[in-house]
Amino acid sequence: MVYPIPPEIERVLVTQEQIEQRVAELAQQINQDYASVERLYIIGILKGAFIFLADLTRHLTIPHAVDFMALSSYGKTTVSGAVRIIMDVREPLEGQHVLIVEDIVDSGHTLNYLTHLINNRKPASLRTCVLVRKQRNGIDVTIDYLGFTIPDVWVVGYGLDYADRFRTLPYVAELKREVYSAK
Ligand code: PRP
């Protein structure tokens, strides 16, 4: 299906085909890296990760469980980057091989908070898988499996939103500046 491009979109940064190919490559790498592990515990961070997580996990051939966390960040424009858990995972993470799946690393506050939080629960291992990382000065967080590096612009699609819109676009696109600067 040819998906219409909404008028609020400036340009497509990562196409549907590029995403499909990269997601398959990342999954193949994860399959190899965890080939000898009894079970991988995958945590998708809501809401943004739901599409990436669904596509990625359907390429996995290793035993795995899927769970979710939902977070809320206070004042995204402030430097504090404070984060609050709205919904937690269902299992204790001690001794588990954990993979965090995120749609985007922007300032890095969220992933930084999450890795500290989960490490405190004493998992057997912890790695991170992120679809896109913005090219900007932020917290230096480790991304073990990265899809794409993108420019520091407002992006939507493939899970990413603007005011909860555009999450289900099949590509990652730059939003027109006038859409978010008019508010
Ligand atoms: C987005 C994204 C990451 C976070 C990254 O979530 O899904 O969790 O921001 O930004 P950071 O690197 O600056 O911390 P958001 O708070 O927009 O919630 P959502 O996923 O529900 O849209």
Side-chain angles (χ1 to χ4, degrees):
M1 164 185 171
V2 178
Y3 210 91
I5 297 186
E8 292 90 348
I9 297 304
E10 179 71 37
R11 65 185 166 130
V12 174
L13 293 174
V14 191
T15 66
Q16 186 172 0
E17 293 72 28
Q18 288 172 317
I19 293 173
E20 279 170 11
Q21 191 190 336
R22 190 73 188 120
V23 168
E25 286 169 5
L26 291 174
Q28 199 181 2
Q29 189 64 53
I30 293 167
N31 283 331
Q32 280 174 22
D33 293 353
Y34 291 94
S36 59
V37 161
E38 199 177 317
R39 184 182 76 158
L40 180 61
Y41 200 84
I42 301 176
I43 305 175
I45 310 304
L46 296 173
K47 298 179 189 175
F50 79 111
I51 290 178
F52 179 37
L53 180 95
D55 285 348
L56 183 80
T57 51
R58 282 178 295 169
H59 286 285
L60 294 182
T61 51
I62 50 163
H64 64 276
V66 171
D67 203 345
F68 296 95
M69 282 179 95
L71 304 174
S72 164
S73 49
Y74 294 109
K76 292 217 76 155
T77 51
T78 67
V79 287
S80 77
V83 179
R84 181 170 61 101
I85 299 179
I86 300 172
M87 188 187 88
D88 208 338
V89 291
R90 307 236 181 146
E91 290 191 20
L93 298 177
E94 187 170 353
Q96 307 238 36
H97 293 279
V98 175
L99 180 68
I100 299 173
V101 175
E102 261 286 27
D103 53 346
I104 187 167
V105 166
D106 189 343
S107 69
H109 280 299
T110 306
L111 198 59
N112 186 49
Y113 169 84
L114 272 170
T115 50
H116 282 102
L117 178 97
I118 293 174
N119 269 326
N120 281 338
R121 297 182 184 181
K122 309 266 180 284
S125 70
L126 174 61
R127 284 186 183 157
T128 57
C129 179
V130 175
L131 183 76
V132 293
R133 171 183 219 158
K134 275 195 194 173
Q135 223 163 8
R136 56 164 282 190
N137 288 330
I139 298 181
D140 188 20
V141 286
T142 302
I143 301 175
D144 299 287
Y145 306 97
L146 175 64
F148 304 91
T149 302
I150 57 165
D152 186 11
V153 294
W154 196 307
V155 283
V156 294
Y158 205 71
L160 295 152
D161 73 306
Y162 169 67
D164 258 331
R165 289 185 61 200
F166 309 116
R167 282 195 203 275
T168 55
L169 293 175
Y171 44 77
V172 174
E174 177 180 354
L175 196 65
K176 281 185 181 159
R177 184 171 287 270
E178 68 218 42
V179 177
Y180 56 89
S181 59
K183 299 271 162 170

